[in-house]
Amino acid sequence: MTTPVNPGSVVAPAPPWALLAELTHACPLHCPYCSNPLELARRSAELSTDEWTDVLRQAGELGVVHTHLSGGEPLLRPDLERIVAAAEAAGIYTQLVTSGTGLDEARLAALTGAGLRSVQLSVQHADPGANDRIAGRPAAFAAKERAAALVRRAGIPLGLNVVLHRDNLDAVDAVVELGLAWGADRIELANAQFYGWGLLNRTALLPTRDQLARARETVERRREELAGRIDLVWVVPDYFDGVAKPCMGGWGAVSLTVAPDGTVLPCPAAASLPDLDPPNVRDHRLAWIWQRSPAFNRFRGTDWMTGPCRGCPRQEEDFGGCRCQAFALTGDAARTDPACALSPDHHLVREPADGDRPEAPPYVYRRPGAVPAPAPAPAPAPTVLTTDGPKGRN
Amino acid sequence: MTRTAQQWCPALAPALMLRHDAVRGTDLLVLPERVVVLEGHGGMVVGLCDGTRTVPGIVGELAERFPGAPVATTVPAFLDSLRQEGWLT
Ligand code: SF4
Ligand code: SF4
């Protein structure tokens, strides 16, 4: 396809600040909202240690200063210490994003010795039983509790990352208490986003408006009480307010994602766009990928916009919303995000958001083969109910 | 200035990384979830916060390097604002 001529393809775009490294899609947990793609990369396709080292060196030269070492579960990579060291050598700040399973004292010491700077731990619920049910793994909560204590003892910053949905929004106060008890510096409360696994499980995960309003009030109250003690971050839900979220700070504007097999994407969810033809570090230099690849230029700037986004005064603030959500709900990634009240497709989020809540169906847990390949076609206008960027991932 | 402020020897909080960004030609503070661009000589000032120098010591060094600059007023205020953010201890 042709890339629309936009300033981004004439003048080199500003360099990226951050890189999300999905080191593996393997994971001991099976969260039903996971932001990994429905088609998970096989372990045999994963980049080698040398390839990651080269990617991080290139990233540093390109201007990346921060990386989330994520997955799946990055601790499943036996060479994680060497990858941390490679980032450190490239001048890149490292944060490990983990489920906590597999972290012990020796491993953490090796990681901090290699230069690891901070840890973000995912938590599914403040109640151990509920946590393990959502995660699809027994004793997952106990592993998190141990991991949090280890990180605290190591003296590096600890953040908790909690994806919020119908089954844990009512426990948001308990989650804040848990964060305090575990000594977290920061709790990110990220409302679930509905594409990929989240869309597949939307009926089970979509909260009610009342639930959300109560949780929002609780968070505001706790934030005031705890100012200066803990950083409480509330990542807004986009089905309910009629406002599109500024995804990833704009397409190809701030950060890039490298998938386990070396595919490079403007956002982890963009793997779902069928005609994106994303580049791979095995074929191209990262600088070319960021500056010149058609995939990264596809939705840069505003020239690609359609419908109400054209000429809209908010187009530099929200960039027309989420491309992956536009595709998932309408089948066209260039349409206005249906989350925006001005979108002609807004009923696609409004109806499920305000409709009756049927009995929650069981989760479709995230695991290889859970969804018949190829991934299901974009959901047709759903009348029945089913993150920084998508957040639900380690 | 209070006695404690006189004796305070600012140091970068452990989680932070102070670095020069050659690509953008600026100094940065990199945090767990954020990057702070230090304008002007901000990076140089933070670089002096190694836990051994007092605030008057830092001001004195800068006054020597930049004669005539209003460092006696601007630098303590700048350091204080970084402490309030939790970036200096
Ligand atoms: S029309 Fe487009 S640019 Fe305007 S507010 Fe909605 S999503 Fe944003
Ligand atoms: S999901 Fe959102 S963040 Fe991701 S590419 Fe799509 S628009 Fe961007």
Side-chain angles (χ1 to χ4, degrees):
Chain A
M1 65 152 275
T2 53
T3 311
V5 178
N6 64 32
S9 55
V10 181
V11 183
W17 289 98
L19 184 149
L20 169 65
E22 289 183 349
L23 298 177
T24 179
H25 278 161
C27 191
L29 271 49
H30 307 285
C31 309
Y33 51 72
C34 182
S35 74
N36 287 161
L38 294 175
E39 254 179 285
L40 299 163
R42 286 165 297 117
R43 298 226 63 180
S44 59
E46 288 176 9
L47 296 181
S48 67
T49 317
D50 286 349
E51 285 172 314
W52 275 114
T53 302
D54 184 45
V55 167
L56 290 162
R57 194 173 36 71
Q58 290 186 52
E61 288 167 7
L62 190 57
V64 168
V65 300
H66 194 291
T67 187
H68 281 123
L69 299 172
S70 177
E73 176 49 68
L75 291 167
L76 290 173
R77 289 279 308 212
D79 57 353
L80 183 58
E81 293 80 344
R82 290 170 64 198
I83 294 171
V84 169
E88 181 70 13
I92 301 175
Y93 184 106
T94 46
Q95 179 170 78
L96 175 67
V97 189
T98 177
S99 70
T101 294
L103 192 67
D104 60 25
E105 198 168 352
R107 192 87 203 268
L108 185 58
L111 290 167
T112 53
L116 183 70
R117 305 264 175 172
S118 65
V119 174
Q120 196 188 105
L121 182 64
S122 72
V123 173
Q124 283 69 39
H125 201 290
D127 172 73
N131 183 92
D132 296 352
R133 185 184 76 82
I134 297 167
R137 181 180 172 92
F141 184 88
K144 292 172 193 296
E145 191 166 19
R146 277 194 303 275
L150 288 171
V151 174
R152 264 295 65 122
R153 218 174 308 145
I156 61 174
L158 171 66
L160 299 189
N161 170 14
V162 189
V163 173
L164 298 177
H165 47 81
R166 178 173 174 167
D167 289 343
N168 63 8
L169 267 164
D170 295 334
V172 86
D173 206 16
V175 167
V176 173
E177 284 303 314
L178 185 82
L180 287 168
W182 287 5
D185 301 286
R186 178 177 196 274
I187 309 177
E188 183 169 323
L189 301 159
N191 282 282
Q193 299 179 8
F194 300 107
Y195 23 73
W197 296 96
L199 186 55
L200 207 59
N201 284 294
R202 193 173 67 176
T203 308
L205 297 174
L206 193 71
T208 64
R209 211 173 263 285
D210 282 352
Q211 251 188 318
L212 266 172
R214 281 195 305 272
R216 199 188 305 241
E217 263 171 47
T218 304
V219 172
E220 274 165 21
R221 178 170 51 79
R222 301 302 320 255
R223 192 186 283 132
E224 268 176 43
E225 279 170 29
L226 299 170
R229 280 178 69 193
I230 194 165
D231 209 3
L232 280 189
V233 182
W234 169 260
V235 180
V236 299
D238 68 355
Y239 264 49
F240 294 86
D241 295 341
V243 176
K245 63 180 178 291
C247 251
M248 307 293 289
W251 183 271
V254 177
S255 83
L256 42 85
T257 296
V258 181
D261 64 357
T263 303
V264 190
L265 297 161
C267 140
S272 66
L273 303 181
D275 59 347
L276 188 64
D277 191 20
N280 192 295
V281 291
R282 285 174 165 148
D283 307 320
H284 297 282
R285 308 285 303 163
L286 211 54
W288 179 89
I289 290 173
W290 179 259
Q291 291 158 3
R292 310 214 159 268
S293 70
F296 274 79
N297 282 304
R298 175 98 171 258
F299 300 115
R300 273 199 176 118
T302 52
D303 286 357
W304 58 270
M305 287 183 174
T306 62
C309 293
R310 282 204 157 270
C312 175
R314 283 185 45 83
Q315 61 181 202
E316 302 281 356
E317 282 160 56
D318 66 20
F319 318 106
C322 175
R323 296 304 89 226
C324 303
Q325 180 148 280
F327 173 74
L329 296 181
T330 74
D332 178 359
R335 282 177 82 81
T336 295
D337 184 340
C340 175
L342 301 173
S343 157
D345 309 309
H346 187 52
H347 64 280
L348 296 178
V349 308
R350 187 46 62 116
E351 283 165 13
D354 288 332
D356 294 333
R357 291 296 180 276
E359 183 85 0
Y363 297 146
V364 180
Y365 283 110
R366 168 253 201 239
R367 43 165 62 87
V371 185
T383 42
V384 192
L385 317 179
T386 36
T387 74
D388 191 271
K391 291 299 172 192
R393 121 192 58 77
N394 291 313
Chain B
M1 211 184 281
T2 65
R3 204 173 146 71
T4 30
Q6 288 284 346
Q7 288 168 343
W8 177 38
C9 295
L12 209 52
L16 274 60
M17 176 163 134
L18 169 68
R19 55 160 285 180
H20 182 67
D21 181 341
V23 173
R24 298 176 184 82
T26 182
D27 292 314
L28 305 175
L29 270 184
V30 190
L31 286 69
E33 304 287 345
R34 240 188 313 178
V35 180
V36 180
V37 177
L38 296 167
E39 312 278 357
H41 295 295
M44 180 189 291
V45 178
V46 176
L48 293 173
C49 298
D50 61 359
T52 70
R53 296 173 171 87
T54 60
V55 175
I58 292 171
V59 169
E61 267 187 56
L62 290 165
E64 260 173 52
R65 276 191 231 178
F66 304 100
V71 291
T73 51
T74 55
V75 170
F78 174 67
L79 294 176
D80 204 52
S81 67
L82 296 191
R83 174 153 73 169
Q84 279 179 19
E85 293 284 354
W87 302 336
L88 289 177
T89 58

